[in-house]
Amino acid sequence: QVQLVESGGGLVQAGESLRLSCAASGSIFSIAAMGWYRQAPGKQRELVAAFTNGGRANYGDSVKGRFAISRDNAKNTVYLQMNSLRPEDTAVYYCNANVQRLQDFSVMNYWGKGTLVTVSS
């Protein structure tokens, strides 16, 4: 089994920063694409930032220039540095990864349970 566990969410004021972490654990041979999505109340889940299978970082238009994604492959962990936060960034942030499993080398997609980020004005 593979688990993705997010941490680092919380309540901040507009203009402040937060850093989210997502650690993958379990039966992992390798991790390809890995990144962050978010879902605000009443809205669809959207891309925040993610590494593609080729290692390129993609960002949602609304966070470009403010958020930065990074990863530590040795720790199977991805980070999201969020700067200049705005009230519209308020959402549950989910980690997502394409994981090649150790037991059969199949690639499956996994989601974390999410961490809430609330930005007050």
Side-chain angles (χ1 to χ4, degrees):
Q1 189 60 282
V2 173
Q3 288 186 326
L4 303 180
V5 179
E6 303 100 333
S7 61
L11 172 64
V12 297
Q13 292 189 335
E16 294 184 340
S17 299
L18 273 179
R19 189 188 191 215
L20 304 183
S21 300
C22 172
S25 63
S27 182
I28 299 171
F29 178 75
S30 67
I31 299 177
M34 191 171 185
W36 295 92
Y37 292 74
R38 69 186 181 187
Q39 187 165 18
K43 295 188 176 182
Q44 290 187 332
R45 193 171 296 189
E46 63 175 2
L47 170 70
V48 178
F51 287 108
T52 67
N53 287 339
R56 184 180 72 251
N58 287 332
Y59 293 90
D61 288 341
S62 62
V63 307
K64 287 179 181 177
R66 299 188 298 124
F67 291 10
I69 190 171
S70 61
R71 68 192 295 178
D72 184 334
N73 292 328
K75 296 182 179 180
N76 288 332
T77 298
V78 66
Y79 305 95
L80 183 68
Q81 178 66 41
M82 305 186 294
N83 299 325
S84 302
L85 282 161
R86 304 167 180 169
E88 53 264 40
D89 294 318
T90 295
V92 177
Y93 284 70
Y94 295 94
C95 183
N96 178 265
N98 286 338
V99 177
Q100 188 172 22
R101 304 191 310 173
L102 191 60
Q103 62 264 39
D104 57 10
F105 301 105
S106 64
V107 177
M108 294 189 65
N109 187 259
Y110 292 90
W111 289 94
K113 293 183 178 180
T115 184
L116 177 63
V117 172
T118 304
V119 184
S120 63
S121 57

